[in-house]
Amino acid sequence: YAFDEAVLFAFELEKDSSVPAIIKTGIEFLPAKNFALRFGVSVKPVKYTAGFGFIARRFSADIGFAYHYYLGITPAISVQFGI
């Protein structure tokens, strides 16, 4: 759900036949035209996520982190180029 052009709320329900359903929620905030901040949480198991992204014409980059109680912090990075 987009509250306005700068705030997006997302909700996801993931279900695999062998495990209980996982509920995931997140929010994306655009404090500047080309910059995004993201935060999220999921349950069963509880996992927290955060990250930020930069968008410029045909190029974008994202850096994110997830925190899992048993696994600790997991970093992620992505870079995309449009053709």
Side-chain angles (χ1 to χ4, degrees):
Y1 177 78
F3 290 100
D4 64 22
E5 293 180 4
V7 180
L8 172 70
F9 177 76
F11 174 84
E12 178 182 347
L13 180 63
E14 179 182 321
K15 177 66 176 120
D16 186 343
S17 61
S18 62
V19 296
I22 300 170
I23 299 170
K24 302 175 182 181
T25 61
I27 191 162
E28 178 181 74
F29 174 62
L30 300 164
K33 182 180 176 183
N34 297 335
F35 184 72
L37 294 173
R38 300 178 187 102
F39 304 96
V41 65
S42 65
V43 296
K44 292 186 180 181
V46 175
K47 184 167 52 169
Y48 302 99
T49 58
F52 58 90
F54 176 76
I55 305 159
R57 294 188 185 162
R58 296 172 23 175
F59 167 80
S60 66
D62 295 291
I63 296 177
F65 301 91
Y67 176 77
H68 186 279
Y69 180 74
Y70 295 110
L71 303 175
I73 296 174
T74 304
I77 187 168
S78 70
V79 177
Q80 298 98 31
F81 297 96
I83 298 175

